[in-house]
Amino acid sequence: MHNNIADRDDIEIIECEQGTAEWFAARAGVCSASMFGVVLAKVGLLDEKQQMYVDAIRAGNDEKAAMLIAGYKAPPKSTTVAKALRGEKIGEWSDAALNYAFRLACERVAGEPLVEQFETYAMRRGKELEEACRIRHEIDINEVVDLAGFIRTKDGRFGASADALVGKSGGGEYKCFYAPDKTRPIILDNDFGDIKPQVQGCIWLYGAEWWDSCLYFPALKSVGKDYTRQRLLRDDDFIDNMETELLAFDALVCEYEVQIRAPRIIIT
């Protein structure tokens, strides 16, 4: 059973404004919820047909029946399928995840952030519009919406920058996208895309029951679509799997840190 942030002693909140030097310092070496999606996006996994075939075999079907269910004319020869059928772990870290792990290891050794502390146009725009989004969010749910700093586990391994906290039950993630590839799915289909790991990560760290994903898009104010909200409820199965993957990822970060700290061997 999860515990709300007020009842936990394994986390700490650093009061700081997003984008400040204090905020960057608080995040140094910490696997942040905004990157949980990168960590979870393994490569070398089963595709849809392969997964159907493996699931059919595991359900007790013979090879021919599994082929029919998955739409194969011949048994799949993929080594990944064979590993899955043997019950072996499949999937590898992507290059993006490996690079992120290395960066975190370097930050833990250096004791400071390695990312450049500058604002892009998108970051500046988001900061300017965030307060307006918070006001809309507060009116929409008829509850007080509070500012939040950076939360992290006291061991400095995982953290999150919540855009908002709502009582002891939930919070909010604010997006001020303007690019069509980001806004079209949200406006037309209420599809916030791949931010589920970030949102469930906040729910996990804050011990929340739900989290609101909010888009603030002033360009559509004239038709009443300048604000869109989707509430995502706590998914304990997803969180359990995510936590397992995050702990494995942290082991990789620690492995990199050991390698970085090891004396350099010079061969002449």
Side-chain angles (χ1 to χ4, degrees), residues 57-71:
I57 293 289
R58 287 175 174 171
N61 294 281
D62 61 24
E63 188 177 77
K64 288 185 177 180
M67 288 164 49
L68 182 63
I69 291 171

Side-chain angles (χ1 to χ4, degrees), residues 49-50 53-54 63 66-67 70 72 74-79 81-82 85:
K49 284 184 64 175
Q50 291 171 334
Y53 178 82
V54 170
E63 188 177 77
M67 288 164 49
Y72 282 111
K77 301 299 183 182
S78 166
T79 56
V81 171
L85 290 174

Side-chain angles (χ1 to χ4, degrees), residues 56-233:
I57 293 289
R58 287 175 174 171
N61 294 281
D62 61 24
E63 188 177 77
K64 288 185 177 180
M67 288 164 49
L68 182 63
I69 291 171
Y72 282 111
K73 294 182 178 180
K77 301 299 183 182
S78 166
T79 56
T80 303
V81 171
K83 289 176 65 175
L85 290 174
R86 291 194 298 267
E88 298 177 13
K89 187 176 180 62
I90 60 174
E92 304 292 338
W93 305 116
S94 66
D95 284 341
L98 294 174
N99 290 335
Y100 182 51
F102 182 75
R103 193 192 92 191
L104 292 177
C106 288
E107 290 182 341
R108 291 180 184 183
V109 172
E112 61 183 28
L114 299 185
V115 294
E116 294 186 34
Q117 300 178 32
F118 69 94
E119 280 190 331
T120 63
Y121 168 73
M123 292 169 63
R124 186 168 61 253
R125 180 178 181 275
K127 185 180 295 185
E128 292 171 352
L129 295 178
E130 189 172 291
E131 182 58 29
C133 185
R134 181 176 291 106
I135 292 172
R136 290 296 302 274
H137 186 203
E138 193 168 66
I139 294 172
D140 181 25
I141 64 176
N142 195 31
E143 293 189 64
V144 175
V145 175
D146 294 318
L147 294 171
F150 184 74
I151 184 176
R152 67 186 178 194
T153 54
K154 286 188 176 178
D155 58 15
R157 297 157 81 185
F158 309 107
S161 296
D163 290 330
L165 292 178
V166 183
K168 295 182 178 181
S169 300
E173 176 65 28
Y174 299 155
K175 300 299 184 184
C176 300
F177 300 135
Y178 56 91
D181 63 323
K182 295 288 188 180
T183 54
R184 178 177 58 82
I186 299 174
I187 296 298
L188 298 183
D189 302 315
N190 201 34
D191 178 7
F192 278 79
D194 57 0
I195 70 169
K196 182 177 181 178
Q198 179 180 6
V199 172
Q200 289 292 338
C202 287
I203 289 175
W204 170 52
L205 288 164
Y206 283 90
E209 295 291 344
W210 53 265
W211 214 259
D212 284 341
S213 297
C214 304
L215 171 70
Y216 187 61
F217 191 36
L220 297 184
K221 185 177 181 179
S222 63
V223 291
K225 293 186 178 179
D226 54 324
Y227 168 82
T228 303
R229 175 175 66 88
Q230 180 188 78
R231 177 160 295 186
L232 194 65
L233 300 180

